[in-house]
Amino acid sequence: MNPIILSVSVMLILALLRVNVVVALTFSALIGGLVGGLSLSETISAFEGGLGGGATIALSYAMLGAFAVAISKSGVTDLLAHSVIKRINAKDNLHAATGVKYLLLCLILLITISSQNVVPVHIAFIPILIPPLIQVFNKLKLDRRLIACVLTFGLVTPYMILPVGFGGIFLNNILLKNLHDNNLDVIASQVPLAMALPALGMVTGLLIAVFISYRKPRTYADVDNTTMKATNTAPTFNKRHIQISIVAIIAALSVQLATGSMIVGALAGFMVFTFGGVIAWKETQDVFTRGVHMMAMIGFIMISAAGFAAVMKATGGVEILVESLSTSIGDNKPLAALLMLVVGLLVTMGIGSSFSTIPIIATIYVPLAVAFGFSPMATIALVGTAAALGDAGSPASDSTLGPTSGLNADGQHEHVWETVVPTFLHYNLPLIAFGWIAAMVL
C-alpha cells in the first residue's frame, strides 16, 4: 500500500479513537516510513530532521498567544462578552433570542475573518474570546459544532480568496511563487479569481451547517470554571488602554505586512502594550508564559506534523501516488481532476497545513495539469484547492485545533468528533465538488 494512504489512514483512525494527536502523528509517521522503504533509523532521522520545520510556526503561535493575552488585558474581550450577555438577559421571547443567536454567529464570523487580515493574530484570539462566551452559548442552546464550523470557515476561507494578511502569504508568497517556479505563466490577479469557485464551496458548507445540520438547540451542563466567567456586573475599562490596544493592533499588522513575519509583527504589538503601560514591565514574563501555555499543545502538534511531512517526503509517497494515478486514468480529464483533489486531501490531512502542502504538490501537479490540457486558471484552482482540502478537517490543522482550544474550556467539546468530523463533512466535501467544477469550467 502507498505510504501516504496508509500513514494518513492510521493517523485518522487513531485520532477517531481519541488517541492524542501528537502520538497519532508520530506513530503513523513511523508506520509510513517503514512501509515506504525506509529503515527504522532512517525514518526516525527524517522525522527528527523535519521537526525544525515546525519550530517557526510554534514560535509564531507562542508570540501570537502572548499578543492575544495582552489584548485581553485591555478589557476588549470582557466588554464584548458582557455586552452580549446583557443583550440576552434583556430578551425573554424566542424570536428575540433567535435574533441574538444569529447576531452572535455573525459577530464571531467577522472577528474570525478579521483575525486573518485586519488583526493578524490568527487562532490566538480563540482561547481568549470564546471561553467567556460559553455561558452565552449554553443559554442560547447553541450547538458548539456549529460554532466550530463558523470559526473554521473564518480561518480558512479568507486566505483562499483575499490577498491580504494570511491570504497574501498563501495566494502570493506561496501559491503564485510555486506556480511560477514550475513554469506556469500566471499573474497575481488571476489567483483570487481562480479560487472564487472553491471558496463558494466553503460558503455552501457554512450555510448547510447554520441552517440545516446544527440549527436545533443542544443542551450543555453549566460548569463553574473561572476561565469562562463573564459576570453580569459591568466591567470597568481604561479608555487609554483601549486606545493603546488600537495602536498595538495597527503596529502588529503593519510590521507583519512589512516583514512577512508573524513573529516580528506580534512582538511589535506586544512591545506597544508594554511601553504603553497596559502591561507592566514586571508582568511581561507572566503574560508571555500565559500566551505560551495557551498555544503550547497547538505548537507541539504543528511541530509533530512537520516531522510527519518530512517522513512522507523522504518516502516519495506523493510522487508514487500521483504517478500511479496518472498512468491508470488515461486521458480522462474529469477523473484526473477529481483524483488530484482527493490526493491533495490525503496529503493535507496528514501534514495539517495547506501552506506547507503547496510546495509538495505544485511540483507534481503543474506538469500533470498541463499534460492533461487544463488551462492556467484551472491549474491554479486545482493546486490551490488540493492544498486547502484537509486544512478544514485534519486533526493536526490549526484551523480545527484553534476552535477546540476555546470550545473545550469546560471539557464538553471533543476535538475529533465535534470539530474535525463536522468541519470535514461541511467543508472538504463541498471543496472537492466546487474545486472539480472550477477545474472543468475555467
Side-chain angles (χ1 to χ4, degrees):
M1 179 179 285
N2 184 276
I4 296 290
I5 296 176
L6 179 61
S7 57
V8 171
S9 299
V10 170
M11 185 269 291
L12 293 176
I13 291 171
L14 291 175
L16 290 171
L17 292 174
R18 292 181 168 85
V19 174
N20 180 274
V21 176
V22 174
V23 176
L25 280 166
T26 305
F27 182 76
S28 59
L30 293 176
I31 296 296
L34 295 174
V35 172
L38 302 177
S39 67
L40 180 60
S41 60
E42 289 172 336
T43 302
I44 294 173
S45 177
F47 183 81
E48 292 179 345
L51 296 179
T56 300
I57 299 174
L59 181 57
S60 298
Y61 287 163
M63 289 301 305
L64 289 174
F67 183 46
V69 171
I71 291 176
S72 73
K73 285 183 70 67
S74 70
V76 173
T77 54
D78 289 336
L79 175 62
L80 174 61
H82 174 77
S83 300
V84 174
I85 292 172
K86 184 177 179 181
R87 180 180 290 269
I88 291 174
N89 290 338
K91 308 287 186 181
D92 292 326
N93 64 78
L94 179 62
H95 293 293
T98 302
V100 172
K101 167 186 169 181
Y102 287 109
L103 177 63
L104 179 60
L105 290 175
C106 289
L107 183 61
I108 292 173
L109 179 60
L110 290 174
I111 291 173
T112 310
I113 292 173
S114 299
S115 73
Q116 305 305 294
N117 35 64
V118 179
V119 187
V121 296
H122 195 37
I123 61 173
F125 80 96
I126 295 176
I128 295 294
L129 176 65
I130 297 301
L133 292 175
I134 281 182
Q135 62 177 271
V136 179
F137 302 153
N138 290 351
K139 189 162 187 176
L140 291 171
K141 295 184 177 181
L142 269 171
D143 194 323
R144 293 186 200 176
R145 292 173 296 180
L146 172 57
I147 306 297
C149 287
V150 170
L151 289 168
T152 299
F153 176 90
L155 292 171
V156 174
T157 310
Y159 76 65
M160 291 177 60
I161 195 169
L162 300 175
V164 291
F166 290 98
I169 297 172
F170 179 80
L171 295 173
N172 296 328
N173 298 356
I174 299 179
L175 179 55
L176 182 63
K177 177 183 180 300
N178 279 275
L179 292 173
H180 283 165
D181 289 346
N182 289 281
N183 302 314
L184 188 69
D185 186 19
V186 292
I187 59 176
S189 61
Q190 291 178 293
V191 180
L193 292 175
M195 293 298 293
L197 261 177
L200 186 59
M202 295 290 293
V203 175
T204 302
L206 177 65
L207 294 176
I208 292 173
V210 173
F211 296 109
I212 299 176
S213 301
Y214 306 124
R215 66 182 180 85
K216 292 183 179 180
R218 187 178 183 187
T219 303
Y220 294 87
D222 287 323
V223 178
D224 185 14
N225 188 324
T226 55
T227 66
M228 298 158 35
K229 287 183 179 178
T231 63
N232 292 324
T233 304
T236 57
F237 298 98
N238 186 318
K239 290 184 178 180
R240 180 172 170 274
H241 286 182
I242 300 296
Q243 293 169 349
I244 292 172
S245 297
I246 296 172
V247 174
I249 290 169
I250 294 173
L253 176 61
S254 301
V255 172
Q256 181 183 321
L257 292 176
T259 64
S261 170
M262 289 190 293
I263 297 174
V264 178
L267 177 63
F270 187 82
M271 295 309 295
V272 170
F273 277 117
T274 303
F275 284 107
V278 175
I279 302 172
W281 286 99
K282 62 181 180 181
E283 294 179 335
T284 55
Q285 178 69 32
D286 178 61
V287 171
F288 190 83
T289 301
R290 286 169 57 195
V292 171
H293 180 267
M294 181 177 71
M295 307 298 285
M297 180 52 68
I298 296 175
F300 277 118
I301 291 174
M302 299 306 290
I303 289 173
S304 301
F308 179 95
V311 174
M312 294 305 100
K313 291 178 186 177
T315 64
V318 178
E319 292 86 347
I320 296 170
L321 182 58
V322 173
E323 183 180 347
S324 63
L325 292 176
S326 61
T327 56
S328 62
I329 58 181
D331 58 355
N332 191 329
K333 190 175 178 180
L335 182 59
L338 177 61
L339 292 178
M340 289 168 72
L341 293 172
V342 171
V343 171
L345 171 63
L346 289 171
V347 175
T348 311
M349 288 197 72
I351 295 174
S353 169
S354 56
F355 288 63
S356 302
T357 302
I358 286 181
I360 298 174
I361 65 173
T363 305
I364 308 165
Y365 276 29
V366 172
L368 190 61
V370 172
F372 274 102
F374 289 103
S375 69
M377 290 285 283
T379 304
I380 295 171
L382 276 172
V383 176
T385 306
L389 269 165
D391 201 7
S394 169
S397 168
D398 50 9
S399 300
T400 59
L401 290 164
T404 299
S405 68
L407 293 169
N408 195 40
D410 62 351
Q412 297 187 78
H413 185 86
E414 205 274 327
H415 176 56
V416 173
W417 288 104
E418 298 194 310
T419 296
V420 174
V421 173
T423 54
F424 178 91
L425 294 175
H426 288 86
Y427 297 131
N428 287 340
L429 300 183
L431 263 179
I432 289 177
F434 281 80
W436 183 86
I437 293 172
M440 292 295 99
V441 302
L442 291 177

